[in-house]
Amino acid sequence: METHLPQQDTVKQTTDFITHPLIKPDAIEQRLYQLNLAAAALKQSTLVVLPTGLGKTIVALIVIANLLQAMSGKVIILSPTKPLVEQHASFLKKFMTLPPDEIIVLTGSIPPAKRIALWKDARIVVSTPQVIENDLLSHRIDLSDVVHITFDEAHRSVGNYAYVYIAEKYQFQAKDPLVLGITASPGASSEKIEEVCRNLSISKVQVRTDDDPDVKPYVHYRDLEWRHITVPVEIKGLKDSMQRVLDNRVEQLAKLDFIDPNRKYLNKRELLDLQSRLQSRLRSGPDQQVFKAISLVAEILKVSHAIEITETQGPEALAKYFERLEHEAGSKSGSKASRRLVEDVHMRQAMYALKEMDVTHPKLEIVKDIVSGQLRNNPDSRVIIFTNYRDMSELVTKNLEGIDNVRPVRFVGQASKYKDTGLTQKQQVEILDKFRSGEYNALVATSVAEEGLDIPATDLVLFYEPVPSEIRSIQRKGRTGRSHAGKVVVLVAKGTKDEAYYWSSRRKEKTMNSKMRQLSDTRNAQPFGETPGIPGTGMLRTQGTLGTLGTVVPGTPEQSGMTGIPEQSEMPGVQEKSGTPEKLGMAGIRGAPEQPMEKAGQKQLLDYSGEKLQIYVDRREIRSGVARALESAGADVILTTLEVGDYIVSDRVAIERKTDMDFLDSIIDKDRNIFGQLSDLARTYDRPVLIIEGDNLYTARQIHPNAIRGVLASIATGFGIPIISTRDAEDTAALILVIAKREQVDEKRTPSLHGRKTAMTLSEQQEYIISSISNIGPVAARKLLQHFGSVESVMRAGPDELMEVESIGPKTVQRIREVVGSVYKG
């Protein structure tokens, strides 16, 4: 057993509070490091890296209060999940003096018209980024009157995530944009941290660690224990059978001359790299050897995963994985790799041995002992158990049920898969509320609970297994030790992947802290956002305290004359607003990076003949990146629900877009029926177009190239639909723009929606009837019909029978019975 003991709990005994007109008195403890971080963030766009439990949200609150006190306009707080959004909104309403109706939460469940009304009158908007992105693309809102945006969990601001688009629009639309990014774990890579700063237009990075002098008094003791566990010989025996399969497949790969014959093991990264190289080779034409190698790699990945589950999770989790593997092998869309594996004699031996096995993984019993001991000794505490896999979260929850004083609940994401239904956002919020109140006291969670959840009573966090990601490890540990001492226990199965992840996580955490220090020192010593001739716009590090020249506080706030916030005269951007930001000198003082040249005209690519191109886009395309690219290029994007096609550019041209994977899946999956979609497209529009996006059409799935070519030939000759290939979302958007220009500018045609799908099938009509009842969506309608078999049986079912259907609750049952049984009063 290895135990890491940080500094003992040394929390201040005396408490002073922040005084501010928009913050309730005697509500927020005054901490010097938070005040200095807020002072820095008020001067220029800043990334604040602060350990969990040390008040990143309070830093944002101080910034928001100062801006709203001094300026008109609104602020936005963005957070990745609805539970976090609800948490932030509750915090702000609890501690701010603003009327509660000026602090609003925007969610996708609120009708668009109501969202517009709420947005108009709000001072503070708390939302997930997807809702703001959707409303920006739909032109329901703009960010011109937004004086500040806080990006919570800012490390997500990479790639195609909605934060990136919102930050870009904010820089363009706002007169004087000011951004605050907050995170506990930006990542170990300098490139990742730089990407976050670049995407959010961040000028400065401010870092605090547990060891900083101004932070240390507020750091709570957190006992970190790595508990190493011996795997039983019976479980190792299961591994031995599967290891023979793994060795055989690796040997076959070597015989095909795709790997070194001396290699006996390939890690996951090496396998994925090999898979990618093999798929690239198929672009030059079909090769049976390459097809065989791709299938072998797929088998190796599946067997490797089964072995990892066996050693680190246990026989129960392996049984669930085998069940899914057999289901996949038996389905029409299942892969050859799955079918070959379930037919392999050694895999069958493992499956039979598993059924006869009467051994559980020792981790399960250890979890039971740790959790029951914690709650027996401290009945009012809370425990969070993290598992990497949903199957394990279910097994751990069942294992804890029935123990005195333990009230467990499973907490997973929204996605559903075979025999595993996810939680809705509403269900997630309800579970967390009950966990906070004590109705549940043991939360068994997957990664969905890692970020930001503030449950002060959580005294113990237990990792069922280590995680190799430094970001996830830090986030998990941060769920305890927030308001008082806490404990973290990580279970490590000896001689398994757990040990590799254990060392990887520790190394990456150390690397991340070092990189952040280096980046902070580099950026803050030579700030690229500093305004020449204006002292104080650069940031300096002084004896562990980050602040601005002229506002770094050498001692306590009282010694500097502060009453919880820096003096307004020392905070550019919070003066009385009597002119434009430029006249006040705010932009220069904040040191924001210069706007790109497009700022003046924002990519005038589409200003043909002074006319803007208008493109109708199906709402379901919003996540593709194409809609963003069209809107960024200057097109008038109109989001709507299209009956036919994905993009409408004129009265005769409609475009159906498929990624390479979508296209291949629609060939395999009878329920997706690409020919039906394209038949509707060709029937409704004179000039239909099919775009296939991506470079892996012939390699992404193990489908013979001639079969794919046959489908393409049928589309081109049978339906008369031209097929155009594009590289990625940006390439697709560029092509759509060219088509739109030809139609709208050259041909003087305007977009027109005049298509409908062909008549619904019988099953679609049945689903439509059930889903027409209020509170019942298409998913619930399908579940009801699958359970009862017909519309008539659903309508005749009593309340108890309806309650037996998964995800159908009392309110839905009441609504069904009300509609079916009430007397008509028309």
Side-chain angles (χ1 to χ4, degrees):
M1 182 187 300
E2 177 187 350
T3 303
H4 168 69
L5 300 178
Q7 294 293 321
Q8 292 292 327
D9 224 2
T10 55
V11 179
K12 288 173 56 178
Q13 298 301 311
T14 59
T15 302
D16 296 306
F17 295 96
I18 291 176
T19 302
H20 189 280
L22 293 183
I23 299 176
K24 291 178 181 178
D26 300 329
I28 300 293
E29 181 184 7
Q30 182 175 278
R31 296 183 181 182
L32 180 60
Y33 68 89
Q34 292 173 341
L35 301 177
N36 277 308
L37 289 172
L42 279 161
K43 284 184 174 291
Q44 55 210 304
S45 292
T46 303
L47 175 66
V48 169
V49 181
L50 191 63
T52 54
L54 289 173
K56 292 182 289 294
T57 309
I58 291 175
V59 174
L61 170 66
I62 297 170
V63 171
I64 289 167
N66 277 277
L67 290 170
L68 292 182
Q69 174 69 10
M71 303 174 71
S72 60
K74 58 173 59 71
V75 302
I76 300 175
I77 298 181
L78 297 175
S79 208
T81 65
K82 187 176 179 182
L84 283 177
V85 166
E86 298 281 358
Q87 179 175 291
H88 287 317
S90 296
F91 173 83
L92 294 171
K93 290 177 180 179
K94 180 178 179 180
F95 292 110
M96 296 193 75
T97 59
L98 287 173
D101 58 358
E102 291 187 6
I103 303 173
I104 67 161
V105 170
L106 291 185
T107 67
S109 61
I110 299 174
K114 187 176 180 181
R115 287 208 302 269
I116 295 171
L118 288 170
W119 171 272
K120 183 179 178 182
D121 298 327
R123 297 297 308 282
I124 300 178
V125 176
V126 193
S127 177
T128 57
Q130 291 77 16
V131 172
I132 299 298
E133 177 192 36
N134 195 335
D135 286 347
L136 283 170
L137 282 168
S138 303
H139 305 293
R140 297 189 191 104
I141 64 172
D142 66 55
L143 306 177
S144 58
D145 66 338
V146 174
V147 298
H148 170 78
I149 300 181
T150 291
F151 292 88
D152 185 26
E153 308 296 351
H155 54 270
R156 287 177 171 249
S157 307
V158 293
N160 201 36
Y161 191 64
Y163 277 2
V164 180
Y165 171 77
I166 294 168
E168 178 187 341
K169 295 300 294 181
Y170 184 47
Q171 293 298 317
F172 170 70
Q173 292 181 349
K175 293 179 181 178
D176 189 28
L178 182 65
V179 165
L180 171 62
I182 53 178
T183 182
S185 47
S189 161
S190 298
E191 292 75 17
K192 167 79 178 290
I193 300 166
E194 287 284 3
E195 183 183 359
V196 169
C197 293
R198 183 171 59 253
N199 288 340
L200 296 183
S201 296
I202 293 292
S203 304
K204 293 291 158 71
V205 176
Q206 304 283 13
V207 182
R208 286 293 192 282
T209 70
D210 292 342
D211 296 325
D212 281 328
D214 53 348
V215 172
K216 194 175 278 190
Y218 305 96
V219 176
H220 296 281
Y221 175 77
R222 189 161 60 204
D223 181 8
L224 175 59
E225 175 187 340
W226 300 86
R227 188 171 295 192
H228 297 266
I229 298 162
T230 301
V231 178
V233 292
E234 294 90 343
I235 293 178
K236 289 183 177 179
L238 276 179
K239 175 195 171 182
D240 292 342
S241 296
M242 293 183 285
Q243 188 66 47
R244 294 190 188 96
V245 181
L246 187 62
D247 293 342
N248 173 266
R249 300 314 192 258
V250 171
E251 184 181 341
Q252 287 186 53
L253 263 184
K255 286 181 180 178
L256 291 173
D257 203 27
F258 288 111
I259 61 171
D260 187 331
N262 296 317
R263 291 295 301 273
K264 302 300 181 185
Y265 170 77
L266 291 90
N267 62 39
K268 188 173 182 179
R269 179 174 294 179
E270 291 171 327
L271 287 167
L272 293 174
D273 286 344
L274 175 59
Q275 188 179 59
S276 178
R277 292 197 304 273
L278 290 169
Q279 289 173 342
S280 296
R281 288 182 59 168
L282 285 179
R283 295 194 183 104
S284 57
D287 185 326
Q288 291 304 316
Q289 296 286 83
V290 175
F291 276 122
K292 186 174 181 180
I294 288 174
S295 187
L296 285 169
V297 170
E299 290 181 61
I300 292 170
L301 286 167
K302 290 177 184 296
V303 178
S304 298
H305 183 61
I307 291 173
E308 181 180 343
I309 288 175
T310 304
E311 295 181 318
T312 66
Q313 310 296 304
E316 299 88 346
L318 181 64
K320 286 181 172 291
Y321 178 68
F322 278 164
E323 183 182 358
R324 281 197 301 275
L325 190 66
E326 289 184 302
H327 173 75
E328 181 184 337
S331 67
K332 290 184 179 180
S333 59
S335 66
K336 292 179 181 177
S338 299
R339 285 193 283 272
R340 276 196 294 269
L341 280 180
V342 299
E343 292 168 1
D344 186 282
V345 62
H346 294 298
M347 288 296 285
R348 299 306 305 178
Q349 285 177 353
M351 291 176 179
Y352 293 141
L354 179 64
K355 291 177 181 177
E356 300 297 321
M357 184 172 289
D358 190 25
V359 175
T360 61
H361 201 289
K363 282 186 180 181
L364 279 172
E365 197 61 33
I366 290 171
V367 169
K368 187 186 293 186
D369 290 343
I370 292 173
V371 173
S372 61
Q374 172 71 28
L375 295 173
R376 183 173 57 251
N377 296 330
N378 188 356
D380 293 329
S381 71
R382 306 286 185 277
V383 177
I384 300 179
I385 304 102
F386 282 109
T387 69
N388 281 347
Y389 302 103
R390 277 195 179 187
D391 288 343
M392 211 60 236
S393 69
E394 181 182 348
L395 291 167
V396 170
T397 304
K398 288 181 178 178
N399 193 51
L400 292 173
E401 290 173 349
I403 302 175
D404 289 343
N405 297 324
V406 181
R407 299 180 295 279
V409 64
R410 184 172 181 248
F411 188 73
V412 298
Q414 298 176 52
S416 296
K417 58 182 181 180
Y418 177 67
K419 289 191 176 182
D420 187 358
T421 303
L423 298 174
T424 65
Q425 287 187 336
K426 182 180 178 182
Q427 289 172 323
Q428 289 175 343
V429 171
E430 288 174 352
I431 287 173
L432 290 175
D433 287 342
K434 290 178 180 179
F435 183 57
R436 289 189 180 95
S437 70
E439 185 171 338
Y440 300 121
N441 59 9
L443 190 77
V444 186
T446 55
S447 59
V448 70
E450 288 173 353
E451 288 183 325
L453 296 179
D454 185 14
I455 302 165
T458 302
D459 302 303
L460 172 67
V461 168
L462 197 156
F463 290 31
Y464 195 82
E465 65 282 285
V467 286
S469 163
E470 75 286 359
I471 291 177
R472 293 180 61 197
S473 180
I474 290 169
Q475 294 283 1
R476 285 185 175 189
K477 292 173 189 173
R479 297 314 104 213
T480 189
R482 299 176 74 86
S483 61
H484 54 269
K487 184 173 183 177
V488 177
V489 179
V490 185
L491 305 184
V492 182
K494 293 179 182 178
T496 72
K497 282 280 184 71
D498 278 359
E499 289 193 328
Y501 292 162
Y502 160 72
W503 290 110
S504 175
S505 175
R506 296 190 70 175
R507 175 180 56 79
K508 287 179 178 179
E509 282 190 45
K510 290 179 180 178
T511 302
M512 187 189 76
N513 289 333
S514 174
K515 293 286 186 185
M516 286 306 305
R517 286 296 188 196
Q518 293 172 13
L519 185 62
S520 176
D521 291 342
T522 301
R523 279 178 172 265
N524 298 340
Q526 295 179 332
F528 62 77
E530 184 162 2
T531 305
I534 304 180
T537 57
M539 313 301 292
L540 296 178
R541 179 148 184 103
T542 306
Q543 298 179 344
T545 299
L546 287 170
T548 59
L549 291 177
T551 62
V552 173
V553 185
T556 65
E558 292 80 2
Q559 289 172 330
S560 64
M562 296 176 66
T563 58
I565 57 170
E567 293 293 333
Q568 286 198 357
S569 61
E570 294 177 345
M571 284 191 172
V574 295
Q575 299 97 330
E576 290 297 323
K577 189 170 183 180
S578 58
T580 65
E582 291 76 10
K583 290 179 181 178
L584 292 171
M586 289 162 62
I589 293 177
R590 285 182 179 171
E594 291 185 9
Q595 300 301 329
M597 291 186 66
E598 291 93 354
K599 178 89 174 187
Q602 200 194 14
K603 300 181 182 177
Q604 297 289 328
L605 177 62
L606 294 181
D607 270 345
Y608 299 110
S609 307
E611 298 178 5
K612 223 178 189 184
L613 299 181
Q614 190 178 73
I615 301 171
Y616 285 95
V617 179
D618 186 75
R619 292 187 186 283
R620 289 159 289 194
E621 285 287 295
I622 192 170
R623 296 288 167 258
S624 69
V626 176
R628 291 185 193 174
L630 291 171
E631 198 268 347
S632 294
D636 183 9
V637 172
I638 304 171
L639 287 178
T640 187
T641 301
L642 296 178
E643 292 281 347
V644 176
D646 295 320
Y647 302 87
I648 308 298
V649 299
S650 75
D651 59 335
R652 63 178 183 174
V653 176
I655 300 167
E656 180 75 22
R657 169 190 163 275
K658 296 284 186 189
T659 65
D660 43 19
M661 285 296 295
D662 285 338
F663 183 78
L664 296 174
D665 287 343
S666 64
I667 295 174
I668 299 170
D669 190 348
K670 62 179 182 179
D671 294 331
R672 301 186 66 171
N673 191 8
I674 188 172
F675 293 115
Q677 295 175 19
L678 296 177
S679 174
D680 287 337
L681 194 71
R683 174 181 52 80
T684 308
Y685 286 90
D686 292 337
R687 304 284 177 87
V689 176
L690 172 63
I691 294 177
I692 300 178
E693 182 183 296
D695 296 328
N696 299 310
L697 183 60
Y698 293 101
T699 60
R701 289 275 195 183
Q702 294 180 49
I703 303 175
H704 197 284
N706 283 343
I708 298 171
R709 293 181 187 114
V711 174
L712 295 174
S714 296
I715 293 169
T717 59
F719 293 98
I721 298 177
I723 304 165
I724 305 176
S725 175
T726 59
R727 292 189 309 273
D728 50 31
E730 288 72 22
D731 194 23
T732 299
L735 176 63
I736 292 172
L737 293 173
V738 170
I739 297 173
K741 176 187 177 294
R742 286 178 59 87
E743 289 295 295
Q744 297 180 31
V745 177
D746 300 345
E747 300 293 333
K748 307 299 182 188
R749 292 179 174 272
T750 56
S752 174
L753 307 183
H754 52 77
R756 296 192 64 82
K757 291 182 180 178
T758 51
M760 289 188 288
T761 63
L762 176 60
S763 61
E764 288 174 334
Q765 292 179 63
Q766 291 169 322
E767 291 170 10
Y768 178 80
I769 291 171
I770 300 298
S771 63
S772 65
I773 299 173
S774 177
N775 295 338
I776 298 182
V779 174
R782 279 193 290 274
K783 288 180 179 178
L784 285 163
L785 287 165
Q786 287 166 358
H787 184 87
F788 291 105
S790 69
V791 173
E792 181 181 8
S793 297
V794 173
M795 297 305 182
R796 288 180 179 275
D800 292 341
E801 293 174 293
L802 291 168
M803 286 289 290
E804 292 176 2
V805 181
E806 185 181 11
S807 78
I808 301 299
K811 290 183 180 179
T812 304
V813 170
Q814 181 182 0
R815 186 60 180 153
I816 293 173
R817 295 310 310 156
E818 182 183 2
V819 171
V820 173
S822 297
V823 176
Y824 177 63
K825 298 178 181 180

